[in-house]
Amino acid sequence: MFLKKFAAGMAAAALALAATLGAAQAQQKSTVDEIRDRGVLRIAGILNEDPYFSKDPRTGEWRGFVVEMGRNMAEELGVKLEVVESSWSNSILDVQSGKVDLAFALTALPKRALAVHFSAPTYYNSFTIISPKAELAGKTWAELNDPAYTIAVDLGSSQDQITKAYLPKANILRFKTRDEAVLAVATGKADAIINTVFNSMVMTKKNPAIGKVHVPQPILSSPSVVGMNQNSDEVWRGFVSAWADYNRRVGNNQTWILMGLEPFGIGLDDLPEGFDING
């Protein structure tokens, strides 16, 4: 009798263990499987951020080099691409909450690495100054670190972090939006604005009054990365980093970037001296 009860108990325990393991395996479904089951790769998209993103208000269609990158990754996974409207500040939150799978074109700031997992670099970006004043051309960061110069920047951005690190003595005007910072330069309230190369090139095309793009020495080159949820599995992290590394090395990322710049009449030879997309 005892043996029968023991055997029955063991069988019940085995069934319970199997059920538990099955539930655990279901909970541990890989990110890749989740995306393939959904049939859609979701990336954060930012309105009016040429050459990265732009949404046609009439058709709802997205374009830009990040959209091309996302589309290629979706093809590799065998799914469709969905661009979810976001903002630079909210894109990391959207990754954290699971609203999107990825946030592209992030500057790899150390604090951000505490919030999301970074991929290998997709390309490299350099910080620039844009100024209508010819005397600022060729200035080093050390030379710009002078209270005689008034620099405009959008508050809390990666370029704002640069001013804190390299231009503590300069007169810094911090604005809530980039458009306000651009207006300060265009109206003569500031001598220059700081931004990154691709934004800077498009900004000068849209508003020539803000001047020309310069890359001060030493060149402050920062990797642009893809942000993933901290809880994502190693397979997904490995795939995204392998995608980024491969496409950077074979030149696909550069091709997509130049496609994003082409509508503004900007080619590879127009990019400022000293800048290298591949670092």
Side-chain angles (χ1 to χ4, degrees):
M1 190 67 157
F2 171 77
L3 291 176
K4 286 183 179 180
K5 288 184 177 180
F6 179 76
M10 290 296 291
L15 288 172
L17 179 60
T20 301
L21 290 174
Q25 288 174 349
Q27 291 175 354
Q28 293 173 1
K29 180 182 284 188
S30 73
T31 307
V32 172
D33 287 339
E34 290 178 359
I35 291 169
R36 284 176 170 164
D37 288 347
R38 190 193 313 136
V40 171
L41 172 68
R42 304 164 305 176
I43 68 170
I46 320 299
L47 293 175
N48 304 317
E49 273 297 321
D50 285 309
Y52 302 86
F53 308 90
S54 184
K55 185 180 181 181
D56 189 321
R58 296 168 299 176
T59 65
E61 291 292 318
W62 287 85
R63 63 172 173 80
F65 75 75
V66 169
V67 178
E68 294 302 319
M69 290 179 178
R71 187 172 290 121
N72 179 266
M73 185 183 288
E75 290 174 356
E76 291 284 350
L77 292 166
V79 299
K80 294 180 180 179
L81 177 68
E82 178 184 348
V83 183
V84 179
E85 190 173 313
S86 185
S87 65
W88 288 123
S89 58
N90 287 337
S91 61
I92 290 177
L93 296 175
D94 290 343
V95 170
Q96 288 180 303
S97 68
K99 185 177 180 180
V100 299
D101 303 304
L102 299 172
F104 279 76
L106 297 180
T107 301
L109 298 177
K111 285 186 179 179
R112 289 179 178 172
L114 298 173
V116 292
H117 182 78
F118 288 157
S119 72
T122 52
Y123 59 90
Y124 285 79
N125 219 338
S126 294
F127 289 96
T128 68
I129 64 163
I130 313 169
S131 178
K133 298 188 174 183
E135 62 266 29
L136 266 65
K139 292 283 187 184
T140 65
W141 291 107
E143 290 169 332
L144 291 168
N145 187 29
D146 188 315
Y149 298 120
T150 300
I151 310 293
V153 70
D154 42 323
L155 182 68
S157 62
S158 54
Q159 45 269 20
D160 189 8
Q161 302 303 313
I162 293 298
T163 65
K164 293 174 182 177
Y166 288 87
L167 304 177
K169 296 179 182 178
N171 181 30
I172 306 298
L173 301 181
R174 293 181 168 88
F175 297 92
K176 290 183 178 180
T177 68
R178 185 191 309 154
D179 288 343
E180 291 175 294
V182 169
L183 184 61
V185 177
T187 57
K189 293 180 180 178
D191 300 312
I193 182 174
I194 294 180
N195 215 286
T196 50
V197 170
F198 304 131
N199 276 334
S200 296
M201 295 300 296
V202 172
M203 286 158 62
T204 56
K205 286 291 183 178
K206 289 183 175 181
N207 191 344
I210 62 175
K212 295 184 179 181
V213 180
H214 307 288
V215 182
Q217 295 289 330
I219 297 173
L220 304 180
S221 186
S222 174
S224 180
V225 296
V226 184
M228 295 165 271
N229 192 290
Q230 290 280 28
N231 295 323
S232 58
D233 58 84
E234 291 298 324
V235 172
W236 176 239
R237 294 181 181 186
F239 166 76
V240 176
S241 280
W243 179 93
D245 194 50
Y246 171 79
N247 285 289
R248 186 185 76 253
R249 290 179 182 275
V250 302
N252 289 337
N253 287 342
Q254 176 172 299
T255 297
W256 292 319
I257 289 169
L258 293 175
M259 284 173 60
L261 292 169
E262 187 177 2
F264 302 93
I266 302 169
L268 188 61
D269 292 340
D270 298 309
L271 296 177
E273 184 178 350
F275 170 65
D276 184 355
I277 291 175
N278 296 309

